[in-house]
Structure formats: structure tokens, C-alpha cells
Amino acid sequence: MTNSVALTDEDYIALADFRHALRRFQAFSEANATNVGLTPQQHQALLAIRAASPAEVTVGIIAERLILKPHSATGLVDRLEALELVTRHEASVDRRRAMLRITPKAETMLAALSATHCEEIRRLKPLLADLLAKFG
């Protein structure tokens, strides 16, 4: 599908079905985060911190990964720190930068959430592969 080709009814159906599948996964994710006492954004921030190299995890990385303004990311990290889910440490090279780490408490929460999410993705994999195949 390109902009120069007219879309067919099947193209619109495929787009609608794909967006619906993504939205269902997002709703699943949000509900699971809420069930363990996190906001969806807090869950995503913890996941971003855990997935990044320890030498790279700053508020700026959180802002980038969550598509937030830097001041919003700072507020999010402040709330995670108040919940004892994240700690800040001075960077060894540039002491003005704070490096972020998740705490053991956050690690436990995130491990359970991530296992549940991986199970759901495995369940959805055939559907998503089928939907993606419709786009060529």
C-alpha cells in the first residue's frame, strides 16, 4: 500500500482490525498495570528503565521512550521514586546527570507483569501475524 494507490475496502478492514488488536492489547496492559497498583505510564517507565543499558538510563531516556516532555518525565520519575520503585544515582562521568535504577520491589512487580504480557503476546501472535500479512 502506498499513497499513490487507492485503498480498497479490504485495506480499510485490515487497518481497522489491526488498530483494534493493538487497542485490545493496550487495554489488557493498562488493566494489568492497574491491578498491581501502577499507572500504565509508570509500568512503561519501569519497563524502559529495565530494558535500557544501566549507563544510559536517565530521565531523558524515559522522556524519549514514553514520548513525553522532559518536565513530564521528571514528574513521573519523582512519583516512582516516592513509591520506592526507582532510585537516582549520580553519573560517574557527568555528575549533573542522574542515572535511574529500578528497586527490588519494582523488579518483582515488573517481572510478574512482563511474564503476563509475554503470555498475552504469544496468544496474540497468530492473529497479529495474520493481520500484518494483509499489508503485504
Side-chain angles (χ1 to χ4, degrees):
M1 266 186 330
T2 65
N3 289 338
S4 62
V5 176
L7 296 176
T8 66
D9 289 344
E10 290 78 22
D11 293 329
Y12 286 106
I13 291 167
L15 285 168
D17 289 348
F18 182 71
R19 299 240 352 154
H20 180 250
L22 291 177
R23 199 48 207 115
R24 286 188 59 162
F25 179 76
Q26 185 174 358
F28 165 87
S29 180
E30 290 170 357
N32 276 273
T34 301
N35 287 343
V36 298
L38 295 173
T39 68
Q41 203 171 51
Q42 289 169 336
H43 171 221
Q44 187 63 33
L46 292 175
L47 186 58
I49 294 166
R50 178 63 178 83
S53 163
E56 299 173 350
V57 185
T58 63
V59 171
I61 292 295
I62 300 305
E64 178 185 319
R65 294 299 302 225
L66 275 65
I67 311 171
L68 297 172
K69 302 269 189 229
H71 70 276
S72 296
T74 298
L76 175 59
V77 170
D78 289 346
R79 289 186 295 280
L80 288 169
E81 193 172 32
L83 292 169
E84 299 179 348
L85 298 174
V86 168
T87 58
R88 286 181 167 114
H89 304 274
E90 281 184 358
S92 57
V93 177
D94 181 354
R95 297 196 186 278
R96 295 170 297 172
R97 293 178 54 187
M99 307 309 289
L100 306 174
R101 292 191 194 124
I102 62 173
T103 64
K105 175 182 173 181
E107 186 77 46
T108 299
M109 293 171 84
L110 188 58
L113 275 171
S114 296
T116 302
H117 280 69
C118 286
E119 287 174 23
E120 181 67 3
I121 290 168
R122 280 190 284 280
R123 189 185 72 73
L124 291 173
K125 186 178 177 180
L127 169 66
L128 293 172
D130 210 35
L131 289 170
L132 288 171
K134 292 179 181 182
F135 295 100

